Amino acid sequence: WRIVPFLSGVGLLTIMWLLVKRVTKSWQAAFITLVVLGFDGLLFIYSRLGLMDGILYFFVFTSFYAFVVALDQKKKLKQALFILLSGIFAGCAIGVKWLGLASIILAGIWFLCKSWQQYRGTGKEKNISRRTWLSVLGALVLAALTYAVTFIGAGANWAQLSKDIYV
């Protein structure tokens, strides 16, 4: 039962390396991030004890990374694929804890910053296309659907779930 938190802890280090390297365009900044996270006791304890927070962080930052990559894509199919992945990982993050909504907030802030940058003319393109706006909306819908799917199966007993909340 400890393998999933361990793998998500290791995966988080990888995702943070990729995210920082893509955003800052600096391998030195990515390396410093990797060292700080690798030696941080909190992440280590979450992974060692099997706490859900490490899994949550993995899904939040994986969703955000996929979204950042999606906005940089020129081809429609690649952008759609990364938006799809971002929505799925955001839904998984929300399924772990509601704090996973941070992935949607991070993506929204990034999207607004990129939109403003392009509106001001400092980006490569003057406007973000309608397709990109629709893709972002689709990612939100997909995140909600993925969250709902996490309750299918053994957890689909809504009456029991509501009783457990108020006990």
Side-chain angles (χ1 to χ4, degrees):
W1 60 271
R2 291 185 180 177
I3 190 72
V4 173
F6 169 75
L7 291 176
S8 63
V10 171
L12 179 61
L13 292 175
T14 306
I15 290 297
M16 290 306 292
W17 167 277
L18 294 170
L19 179 64
V20 171
K21 191 166 187 310
R22 179 172 283 272
V23 170
T24 65
K25 311 277 191 277
S26 166
W27 70 267
Q28 293 94 342
F31 180 75
I32 290 170
T33 301
L34 186 67
V35 169
V36 168
L37 283 177
F39 288 108
D40 182 28
L42 187 65
L43 182 60
F44 176 74
I45 294 299
Y46 282 162
S47 296
R48 169 94 170 87
L49 295 178
L51 298 175
M52 297 298 288
D53 294 67
I55 299 169
L56 170 71
Y57 297 146
F58 171 75
F59 284 134
V60 165
F61 286 106
T62 304
S63 172
F64 182 57
Y65 174 71
F67 189 79
V68 168
V69 171
L71 289 185
D72 290 341
Q73 297 303 314
K74 301 293 182 230
K75 296 182 179 178
K76 293 178 184 180
L77 186 61
K78 276 190 170 183
Q79 185 182 39
L81 174 69
F82 281 104
I83 288 286
L84 178 78
L85 288 173
S86 178
I88 289 171
F89 283 120
C92 290
I94 299 166
V96 172
K97 285 186 175 183
W98 276 51
L99 187 59
L101 286 169
S103 62
I104 294 174
I105 294 169
L106 277 173
I109 291 170
W110 186 261
F111 184 68
L112 289 175
C113 289
K114 291 288 272 190
S115 298
W116 179 255
Q117 182 184 34
Q118 289 184 354
Y119 175 74
R120 299 289 295 169
T122 57
K124 294 176 186 170
E125 300 172 9
K126 186 63 178 162
N127 293 321
I128 290 185
S129 68
R130 181 179 300 164
R131 174 180 52 90
T132 305
W133 283 98
L134 291 174
S135 296
V136 170
L137 181 62
L140 291 173
V141 170
L142 187 61
L145 288 174
T146 305
Y147 171 72
V149 166
T150 60
F151 290 104
I152 292 177
N157 188 349
W158 293 101
Q160 183 62 39
L161 284 173
S162 64
K163 287 180 187 175
D164 291 342
I165 291 173
Y166 297 112
V167 171

